[in-house]
Amino acid sequence: MTTLRATALFVGRPNVGKSSLFNTVTGAQARVGNFPGITVDVLEATVRIEGQGELTLVDLPGVYSLARAETEQSEEQITSNFIDQSLRESKDRAVVLQVLDGTQLSLSLQLTRELAARLAGVGRLGLVINQADELTREGRTLDTEALAQELGIPVLLVSARDALARDQVIHFAFKIADHSLVSPLPEALDTEALARRVLRDTAALSDTTQRARTRTERIDRWVLHPWLGPLLFVSVLAVLFAAVFLVADPTTTLIDACNKRLGAWLTPRLGGGFFASFIADGLLGGAGTVLAFLPQIVVLTLVLELLDASGYLTRGVFLVDRAMRKVGLGGMSLVPLLTAHACAVPAIRSTRILRDPRERLITLLVLPLMTCSARLPTYALLISTFFAHRSPWIRSLLFLALYAAGWVAGVLAAAALRKTVVRGRPLPLLLEMPAYRAPERSFVRKATQRAVKSFLRDVGTTIVVASAALWLLLNVPMPGAAMAPSDAPANVQRVQRSVAASMGRALEPITRPLGFDWRINVGLMGSFGARELMVGTLGVIYGLEDVDDNTTPLRAQLRQARDPQGRPRYDGRMALALMAFFVVACQCMSTVAALRRETGGWRWPLFVLGYTYSLGYLLALCVYQIATWLHVS
Amino acid sequence: MSLDELTLAVPMVIDSIATDASIEARLYALGVRVGESVEVLRRAPLGGAVHVRFASGLELAMDAAIAACVTVRPRVVPVYVGTE
């Protein structure tokens, strides 16, 4: 017997339970499909059924309509293109399975009309009505035969929470594959009246419906309370932020410790030379950076999936939207922007919750300006070195000002971007508020697993490559760079002779108006690996060990450093300028790698590098000159 | 009267929707139709948006600017005179 092959595309409105039905049907087999040029994850799975053949299932993004496909990369566009493509490619028998919410049938039937029109005479369509259990609970029955007859489209009633749904849906898909082509629905068909005709209320209806409705209503009374509501939403986000922040630190410490041990074990076994050092510091260091992000990605994805699947996220957005619009962004942007204060890398992934592609792009482009935790060691070093003699109030104010500067820069950049590179009016708030539903554990777990996998594959590799390249830059001697013999340790000599040091010296004429000498320039290059590496790189340049644990010797060195004329090499002006540069410049290869993943190319990450570095330079220049004028020392 | 001025929890019927084409299309896609019954459940803090519920069971968070483009009228309650 020949194996039959068929492809079933899952299409449906958001919040009808399409993805959880897909999860029930495909189980562990689902993986992110390899569809080039798409930044939204489209899941794919292949199941084999004895005697039936092979069925490939594709879970397309949720859409309200096929017609509204005005922007590229919108869910509507992706879904629409997939359907057209499946119609063109005739090697597999392609069927479209529309997933409908039985409890809101008339709404879903609008999409049925569009699908039937699109597929008329060329494709096959089946309706899978979900929430059978919910209907029963509400005391309603659905006459699937009458519905199928009136529409001329086969209908299946299932519940995504029921394990039996798997076989039912698969057999249904094969049945549709052999079914005749779909015809358009009659113009005169009133879908609302049809929904009323096929949904029958059993005796206890009004009572139970009322109860189901009041559950969401009851929760909303508290959750959407005029002032308790926003307080709750901001608290939830604060807890999320704290969780991301809290898991980051111990992981980094642990991975650093493991790396140190592994490096110490590996170095003598690899001969202890330059190559061993490259493996131990360059490659292992990069791999460590990647691993250190994983707990943050897990926490953030897990919490956001739970918030989204439960129906709470939209409510939070409803509450804070106005406040965010005042600064030129939408309510949904608050989640990634807040998370970016812990780390921009998981925050970049979390922008997937934004449905407006323009809003999402703007948020992605300004995220790197938020004051992430990796900036803090540098701020702390500079403030404690050059402002130690000032009162604690001034020092704390300086810290606060740095945080505020991140937000101000973000808001201004968003406004400027909207007028230049990302033109177009922001979409006003218009979101469905689904009834509260308990998120399915396996669905959330799988989404988190996918986030980790995609981070390792798409972002991790870029980080490792960039980290290796950066190590070479800081350690490979510049050809022809002769140095006076000194008694400095080998790694210090290596950095002083490195390509990076030569580049740092070459850049001095440009950076001198900011107060940066070649050492600071090399520190900036080193901190492109991760901002917190600034302190360590400066430590190596000054021949100090383990400056991350104790910055006292480094602070003393920075204060005592003199230029050939005997004047202090650095002062408060340089510290302020360097901090200003740090506020704005996207000094983080991991952010760049994550941006590449989420925007699907190098164009936007390069744009971010370009605009944040030029802006950082200008800002640092202004700060240095103003500080000189104000006699800051 | 427009949807954003509506008293809370008073069901009305959508009379007209007049905003720009893309938003009208989006409202249509979401399932909002002229003639449908609608009520405002609450307003967001700072007056930015309204939470509305339609007869179909659909609930939307809607920017006040969009709600201002949706006009509503009272539901006509049939009055029977005499006996059948």
Side-chain angles (χ1 to χ4, degrees):
Chain A
M1 174 182 175
T2 53
T3 34
L4 294 171
R5 290 169 55 84
T7 304
L9 305 177
F10 275 48
V11 180
R13 281 171 72 100
N15 308 311
V16 295
K18 174 176 64 66
S19 293
S20 72
L21 181 66
F22 183 84
N23 183 39
T24 308
V25 175
T26 59
Q29 285 143 316
R31 59 188 186 280
V32 177
N34 183 24
F35 306 109
I38 292 177
T39 53
V40 183
D41 282 348
V42 173
L43 296 190
E44 194 187 43
T46 304
V47 290
R48 274 176 204 84
I49 303 293
E50 218 41 62
Q52 293 257 36
E54 198 177 272
L55 179 69
T56 302
L57 301 111
V58 183
D59 184 21
L60 296 180
V63 293
Y64 291 103
S65 158
L66 292 178
R68 210 186 67 90
E70 70 229 11
T71 45
E72 253 180 79
Q73 287 293 332
S74 65
E75 273 91 351
E76 287 83 0
Q77 185 75 53
I78 293 169
T79 298
S80 203
N81 287 350
F82 257 94
I83 293 173
D84 290 345
Q85 202 179 341
S86 75
L87 290 177
R88 276 199 305 273
E89 291 170 2
S90 50
K91 64 178 194 296
D92 286 358
R93 293 170 305 159
V95 301
V96 172
L97 293 185
Q98 190 201 343
V99 183
L100 301 88
D101 179 350
T103 63
Q104 293 187 331
L105 196 58
S106 70
L107 288 174
S108 284
L109 286 175
Q110 302 297 338
L111 185 59
T112 311
R113 186 190 288 280
E114 287 184 31
L115 284 168
R118 177 73 66 96
L119 298 168
V122 284
R124 295 172 175 84
L125 176 64
L127 305 186
V128 182
I129 299 179
N130 191 15
Q131 318 289 4
D133 51 345
E134 203 77 23
L135 278 177
T136 315
R137 201 167 309 139
E138 289 183 11
R140 293 199 275 181
T141 53
L142 178 69
D143 187 345
T144 50
E145 260 170 53
L147 184 63
Q149 204 140 39
E150 290 218 33
L151 294 171
I153 302 170
V155 174
L156 174 72
L157 180 66
V158 294
S159 160
R161 277 172 277 268
D162 184 357
L164 285 177
R166 180 176 187 271
D167 286 354
Q168 290 174 323
V169 172
I170 291 170
H171 286 115
F172 184 66
F174 277 117
K175 194 180 113 191
I176 304 290
D178 292 328
H179 202 265
S180 54
L181 298 171
V182 71
S183 348
L185 302 189
E187 274 300 320
L189 182 73
D190 181 349
T191 48
E192 230 166 284
L194 172 62
R196 274 199 301 273
R197 276 203 297 281
V198 295
L199 275 168
R200 297 221 183 89
D201 302 339
T202 49
L205 158 89
S206 55
D207 230 31
T208 31
T209 321
Q210 210 51 42
R211 220 176 301 144
R213 183 168 269 187
T214 46
R215 188 183 59 164
T216 292
E217 260 174 31
R218 232 181 7 242
I219 300 174
D220 271 349
R221 211 170 297 153
W222 290 100
V223 162
L224 296 179
H225 186 273
W227 57 269
L228 278 180
L231 202 67
L232 179 70
F233 186 57
V234 173
S235 309
V236 167
L237 292 185
V239 169
L240 169 62
F241 164 73
V244 172
F245 199 83
L246 284 178
V247 294
D249 206 35
T251 327
T252 315
T253 315
L254 183 73
I255 287 170
D256 276 351
C258 290
N259 255 352
K260 220 172 242 176
R261 285 219 176 153
L262 194 58
W265 180 84
L266 213 57
T267 311
R269 279 165 183 78
L270 290 169
F274 184 82
F275 177 70
S277 189
F278 172 70
I279 299 288
D281 298 332
L283 286 184
L284 273 184
T289 309
V290 176
L291 286 181
F293 283 121
L294 287 186
Q296 304 177 45
I297 303 264
V298 168
V299 168
L300 189 65
T301 317
L302 201 71
V303 177
L304 280 185
E305 287 289 337
L306 284 174
L307 290 181
D308 197 14
S310 64
Y312 180 60
L313 193 60
T314 357
R315 275 144 175 110
V317 171
F318 167 73
L319 292 169
V320 299
D321 191 69
R322 197 10 123 47
M324 291 297 290
R325 299 264 167 192
K326 286 200 164 79
V327 296
L329 292 156
M332 215 46 130
S333 308
L334 184 63
V335 178
L337 287 176
L338 265 187
T339 322
H341 284 81
C343 178
V345 175
I348 284 171
R349 197 189 154 83
S350 75
T351 58
R352 291 178 179 212
I353 57 171
L354 278 104
R355 296 194 115 235
D356 176 356
R358 276 195 213 104
E359 190 75 51
R360 177 166 187 238
L361 183 58
I362 289 187
T363 309
L364 280 171
L365 298 182
V366 304
L367 264 186
L369 299 171
M370 300 297 118
T371 304
C372 66
S373 57
R375 284 171 169 97
L376 301 184
T378 303
Y379 291 167
L381 174 76
L382 292 171
I383 291 177
S384 61
T385 305
F386 297 102
F387 299 93
H389 57 290
R390 309 261 178 191
S391 84
W393 281 106
I394 293 199
R395 278 180 279 157
S396 353
L397 263 180
L398 206 50
F399 244 111
L400 269 181
L402 288 165
Y403 266 98
W407 261 100
V408 172
V411 168
L412 292 179
L417 289 169
R418 218 186 265 295
K419 290 204 170 68
T420 51
V421 284
V422 196
R423 265 175 225 233
R425 228 156 44 97
L427 293 180
L429 179 74
L430 189 56
L431 286 175
E432 186 181 353
M433 296 232 237
Y436 288 108
R437 282 198 178 122
E440 264 168 86
R441 218 177 303 164
S442 77
F443 179 66
V444 173
R445 195 186 64 229
K446 275 178 205 150
T448 310
Q449 283 169 351
R450 278 198 304 277
V452 167
K453 221 186 268 175
S454 108
F455 179 78
L456 286 179
R457 191 188 55 209
D458 303 328
V459 185
T461 43
T462 317
I463 293 179
V464 171
V465 170
S467 153
L470 209 55
W471 188 90
L472 290 174
L473 205 62
L474 287 163
N475 289 276
V476 171
M478 186 71 183
M483 287 293 286
S486 75
D487 49 3
N491 61 340
V492 178
Q493 290 197 33
R494 212 157 59 195
V495 168
Q496 291 186 346
R497 272 201 310 251
S498 68
V499 176
S502 296
M503 285 165 66
R505 288 193 187 91
L507 284 172
E508 267 190 347
I510 305 173
T511 58
R512 206 167 290 130
L514 282 59
F516 302 174
D517 69 342
W518 69 268
R519 296 172 188 83
I520 300 289
N521 293 346
V522 173
L524 287 175
M525 284 180 228
S527 67
F528 187 68
R531 289 185 181 91
E532 67 267 26
L533 295 181
M534 180 80 191
V535 176
T537 313
L538 282 177
V540 171
I541 295 172
Y542 279 99
L544 301 166
E545 293 279 328
D546 289 328
V547 284
D548 287 320
D549 302 328
N550 175 18
T551 57
T552 317
L554 180 60
R555 278 186 279 159
Q557 288 265 19
L558 290 175
R559 259 196 302 263
Q560 286 152 15
R562 291 288 180 271
D563 66 7
Q565 284 82 41
R567 288 172 307 198
R569 199 184 276 156
Y570 311 116
D571 55 19
R573 294 175 300 167
M574 186 286 293
L576 289 176
L578 186 53
M579 288 191 287
F581 186 77
F582 252 67
V583 165
V584 182
C586 182
Q587 285 272 95
C588 178
M589 61 174 184
S590 309
T591 301
V592 175
L595 280 172
R596 188 194 69 90
R597 164 73 182 96
E598 293 304 319
T599 58
W602 283 107
R603 181 177 164 216
W604 292 113
L606 288 176
F607 174 80
V608 166
L609 283 178
Y611 103 82
T612 60
Y613 271 80
S614 356
L615 203 63
Y617 180 84
L618 283 177
L619 193 66
L621 182 67
C622 293
V623 166
Y624 191 82
Q625 299 305 326
I626 292 171
T628 306
W629 184 62
L630 291 174
H631 301 292
V632 175
S633 60
Chain B
M1 187 192 247
S2 65
L3 195 51
D4 64 323
E5 306 163 332
L6 203 56
T7 319
L8 297 190
V10 176
M12 296 282 232
V13 172
I14 299 180
D15 205 21
S16 73
I17 301 171
T19 164
D20 58 67
S22 70
I23 293 173
E24 268 178 39
R26 187 154 161 73
L27 283 169
Y28 188 86
L30 281 160
V32 180
R33 299 280 184 283
V34 169
E36 201 181 355
S37 178
V38 61
E39 64 177 308
V40 176
L41 297 179
R42 57 175 58 77
R43 281 174 233 281
L46 306 173
V50 287
H51 178 188
V52 291
R53 183 165 63 205
F54 298 88
S56 58
L58 174 74
E59 290 184 23
L60 291 179
M62 189 188 277
D63 195 292
I66 302 180
C69 302
V70 178
T71 61
V72 289
R73 58 181 154 79
R75 282 206 288 197
V76 179
V77 184
V79 179
Y80 295 103
V81 181
T83 52
E84 278 182 42

